[in-house]
Amino acid sequence: MSDPQLVLAARVQAALSAAFGPSYADADPVIRPSSFADLQANVALPLAKKLGRKPRDVADEIVAHLDTADVVADVQVSGPGFINLTLSDGWIAAAAQRVLEDERLDVPRVDKPHKVVVEYSSPNVAKEMHVGHLRTTIVGDALARILGFVGHEVIRDNHVGDWGTPFGMLIEHLLDLGEDAAARGDSSVSDLTEFYQAARRKFDGDEAFADRSRRRVVALQAGDAETLRLWNVLVDVSKRYFNAVYGQLGVTLSDADIRGESFYNDLLEPTVRELEEKGIAVVSEGALCAFPPGFTGREGEPLPVIIRKSDGGYNYSTTDLATIRYRVDTEHVDRMVYVVGTTQALHFQMVFAVARMAGWLNDDVRAEHAQIGNVLGTDGKLLRTRTGGTVKLSELLDEAVERAGAVFDEIQHDQPYDEATRAAIVRDVAMGAVKYADLSVARDSEYVFDLDRMISFHGKTGPYLQYAVARIRSIFRKGGLTPEQAAGPIVLGHPAERALALELLGFGAVVQQAGETTEPHRLATYIYAVADAYTTFHENCPVLKAPDEQTKASRLALCAATLRTLVTGLDLLGVPTPERM
Ligand code: ARG
């Protein structure tokens, strides 16, 4: 075990049990960061209250029973009864050595692996992906990677909006343009915003077109073969577009991960029947509704989840309920993480509440809405084009690449790059910049999409971290060895070496936590702290020109462990790390 928090917690618990009896063996020792030592245990304060004694006396008694051997170099009781703990250099060095030698950087796998669905990206067919989809795609992909790394079985699920009444007008519009326009990649079809809006305009202004569209919806619902074929043409055009964006972003989604709303079409009816049989769905004002307890409107009236509209059509909520039922009954998942915008919070709360009433969700099967905040323009308003339209995601990413190129050409490089190498590095820098900027803020808060700030090589940015990685790699190149050849042993002398080694020990706990709380920004923050500790080390501790061979071997080992922590951590965030920069 290399996590200092866990090691110290175990020691303090043993002391509690020795001092106050075995019933305290798993009391929370309240281990926290400390400004006077590496960590502190604050348990004496709550415990003193319980025992009716002075906190300082309780703290002294814990210290008297504390086994410090091999781990703790110094213990001090301070203030009202904080126990300040300083780890021994020998223990830190040995733990860092384990990190270095372990393939998984000594990150444990979870005891109980879960089957987790991470639902993310989920754009809509025949509609432009907007920056909201950018965030769910980036955050969801990071969560899928993180949960997989700690040992869960992850199902990536792209819940594409590919079904519903708009498809009637979209198919009729496609027929008007001519199907071959889609095959040619004609912009009247491939410009999805334009395509959708044109269909909408006709639907609103042309009665005959609207009639045709409505009939087409009926044919689609009835499974008419020709209609389904046309529908598939639209789905394929959109998928090609989604895949282009995913490829550009370097996310792990593929066609195999798409399970659109259409997949659940046949399950809607049995789902509704079950809700009726269980007495959960009742008819109200002609519509079939569920009223989950605790949800009320302005006047205190119960709020419905509409399961089936009065015209017999099903709703967005119905599909989500059928999805939960399918995942529980057929896929037997333990956990569902919905990476979707905050604006849908009420929708998910109510759907989850109905699913709990139906018994699909319970203490063993959890569903979570991992809420995503808005992306703002530099004017502080929702990001839009100058004319107020939806920003095309692919254009936004192209712009990031262009700007990254300009910044890249301004910095000093170890060597000139040929065009292909330059282009590859620039693309990695651009995507790293956009992704890290997104992932370094709490996923449910808003942020301003500001390419200048994101692409900077200074500050808490993707490019800064990529540069830190490239710098470590160049040390190995100059030293004439590979990082894998740096075996140590790690010995700690300079405080910057100690601080870096200690920082490296925190990786496992952070990754675990990020997955548990669905908060990748914790990992983003940690990676920056590692790079920061490395920078201090780099400035104070010469590696290739170390004073003696033993120190050099130890420092190279620290570089290698840092390199792997940064590369692995950034990879879990989906941030690529170019070999050179
Ligand atoms: N397609 C929807 C949109 O673009 C998001 C779907 C979210 N997931 C869900 N299960 N409702 O807004």
Side-chain angles (χ1 to χ4, degrees):
M1 187 160 38
S2 346
D3 179 359
Q5 296 228 21
L6 290 183
V7 171
L8 290 177
R11 291 283 172 113
V12 176
Q13 280 174 333
L16 286 171
S17 150
F20 307 106
S23 61
Y24 290 94
D26 34 53
D28 178 5
V30 202
I31 308 282
R32 296 285 179 270
S34 170
S35 10
F36 305 104
D38 294 324
L39 289 161
Q40 60 186 55
N42 296 351
V43 59
L45 288 84
L47 190 57
K49 219 177 243 165
K50 204 165 150 195
L51 298 172
R53 294 177 50 182
K54 286 209 190 85
R56 265 200 95 102
D57 293 348
V58 172
D60 285 336
E61 201 162 331
I62 296 171
V63 171
H65 288 86
L66 188 69
D67 172 14
T68 57
D70 304 327
V71 177
V72 182
D74 189 36
V75 200
Q76 300 286 337
V77 174
S78 78
F82 303 126
I83 304 169
N84 296 338
L85 300 157
T86 303
L87 293 157
S88 80
D89 288 1
W91 183 81
I92 296 175
Q97 184 75 30
R98 277 198 300 277
V99 168
L100 175 74
E101 286 168 11
D102 183 63
E103 204 189 1
R104 293 176 48 79
L105 295 156
D106 214 21
V107 177
R109 288 176 199 277
V110 284
D111 298 332
K112 286 197 205 102
H114 286 151
K115 193 166 182 182
V116 190
V117 174
V118 182
E119 203 206 274
Y120 65 105
S121 196
S122 311
N124 302 310
V125 163
K127 271 198 187 168
E128 185 63 38
M129 286 176 84
H130 53 73
V131 304
H133 293 121
L134 174 75
R135 283 206 85 183
T136 144
T137 306
I138 292 175
V139 171
D141 207 52
L143 287 174
R145 291 169 191 244
I146 289 168
L147 288 165
F149 185 73
V150 297
H152 296 296
E153 182 190 339
V154 174
I155 302 174
R156 288 167 169 74
D157 192 340
N158 192 355
H159 191 85
V160 170
D162 61 356
W163 203 247
T165 43
F167 282 91
M169 71 175 192
L170 294 170
I171 290 172
E172 288 303 323
H173 182 52
L174 177 69
L175 284 173
D176 287 358
L177 291 175
E179 257 186 81
D180 49 330
R184 281 198 311 267
D186 198 301
S187 67
S188 61
V189 183
S190 63
D191 183 334
L192 299 177
T193 309
E194 175 45 31
F195 181 84
Y196 193 95
Q197 285 172 356
R200 180 93 254 169
R201 276 194 302 273
K202 280 204 275 180
F203 187 84
D204 292 338
D206 177 344
E207 212 23 66
F209 180 84
D211 267 349
R212 273 199 275 150
S213 301
R214 278 189 280 266
R215 280 200 299 278
R216 193 53 86 173
V217 176
V218 176
L220 184 66
Q221 303 275 2
D224 170 59
E226 174 62 5
T227 303
L228 280 174
R229 192 186 62 75
L230 291 163
W231 169 78
N232 255 312
V233 172
L234 286 177
V235 172
D236 282 343
V237 171
S238 302
K239 271 201 219 164
R240 242 178 287 150
Y241 172 70
F242 302 154
N243 284 333
V245 172
Y246 298 152
Q248 217 172 355
L249 272 173
V251 296
T252 57
L253 282 174
S254 73
D255 278 356
D257 303 312
I258 293 185
R259 184 166 283 167
E261 293 179 14
S262 59
F263 176 86
Y264 302 97
N265 189 41
D266 293 341
L267 301 174
L268 297 176
E269 206 233 279
T271 301
V272 172
R273 206 180 326 124
E274 187 177 333
L275 289 171
E276 283 181 295
E277 278 161 12
K278 288 185 166 162
I280 297 164
V282 292
V283 177
S284 167
E285 295 174 30
L288 191 65
C289 303
F291 293 93
F295 294 90
T296 47
R298 241 174 249 155
E299 257 103 67
E301 76 284 9
L303 281 182
V305 172
I306 299 178
I307 310 276
R308 194 175 56 216
K309 292 180 280 183
S310 48
D311 67 5
Y314 297 116
N315 251 339
Y316 184 55
S317 298
T318 324
T319 306
D320 272 327
L321 285 165
T323 307
I324 293 176
R325 181 171 172 267
Y326 177 80
R327 287 177 183 158
V328 173
D329 288 352
T330 308
E331 297 194 297
H332 305 293
V333 311
D334 302 298
R335 187 178 175 196
M336 306 167 212
V337 177
Y338 291 78
V339 190
V340 184
T342 48
T343 48
Q344 296 195 36
L346 185 62
H347 162 75
F348 282 115
Q349 280 168 22
M350 294 184 76
V351 163
F352 295 165
V354 175
R356 265 192 298 276
M357 292 166 83
W360 302 324
L361 297 178
N362 51 47
D363 290 346
D364 297 325
V365 185
R366 50 178 172 142
E368 297 154 51
H369 179 194
Q371 299 188 32
I372 299 296
N374 287 327
V375 180
L376 309 177
T378 38
D379 60 358
K381 297 194 192 126
L382 282 186
L383 189 71
R384 296 258 177 230
T385 60
R386 237 168 270 151
T387 53
T390 313
V391 178
K392 273 188 159 236
L393 213 49
S394 49
E395 282 171 13
L396 197 69
L397 297 177
D398 287 343
E399 191 184 336
V401 173
E402 197 179 302
R403 300 253 209 124
V407 175
F408 185 77
D409 292 341
E410 269 167 31
I411 59 172
Q412 284 272 323
H413 306 291
D414 318 349
Q415 59 182 92
Y417 291 112
D418 62 70
E419 200 34 54
T421 313
R422 175 193 171 275
I425 300 175
V426 164
R427 202 189 46 229
D428 283 352
V429 168
M431 294 313 124
V434 170
K435 285 175 153 186
Y436 189 81
D438 194 303
L439 291 166
S440 58
V441 295
R443 60 165 160 69
D444 56 353
S445 50
E446 306 182 318
Y447 74 87
V448 172
F449 196 92
D450 178 358
L451 282 174
D452 288 336
R453 180 182 52 82
M454 293 174 173
I455 296 172
S456 166
F457 279 80
H458 305 283
K460 295 181 183 173
T461 67
Y464 166 77
L465 296 168
Q466 292 171 319
Y467 193 69
V469 167
R471 205 166 50 175
I472 301 176
R473 284 185 172 139
S474 88
I475 290 178
F476 284 99
R477 272 198 304 275
K478 283 189 195 124
L481 76 165
T482 66
E484 293 72 35
Q485 287 168 321
I490 293 173
V491 189
L492 302 175
H494 195 284
E497 293 174 319
R498 186 185 188 279
L500 175 59
L502 186 56
E503 196 64 59
L504 293 177
L505 305 185
F507 185 52
V510 169
V511 179
Q512 271 301 331
Q513 241 183 15
E516 199 43 42
T517 60
T518 63
E519 292 177 319
H521 79 271
R522 289 171 185 266
L523 178 57
T525 305
Y526 169 78
I527 297 293
Y528 181 79
V530 171
D532 204 33
Y534 177 79
T535 301
T536 309
F537 161 82
H538 185 84
E539 283 161 3
N540 290 282
C541 307
V543 177
L544 297 174
K545 295 197 179 110
D548 55 77
E549 280 309 308
Q550 199 205 2
T551 309
K552 180 175 166 183
S554 167
R555 288 181 181 170
L556 279 168
L558 277 174
C559 287
T562 305
L563 176 63
R564 221 141 49 76
T565 304
L566 291 175
V567 171
T568 308
L570 287 169
D571 182 59
L572 291 178
L573 296 176
V575 172
T577 44
E579 205 58 35
R580 301 157 187 262
M581 282 177 79

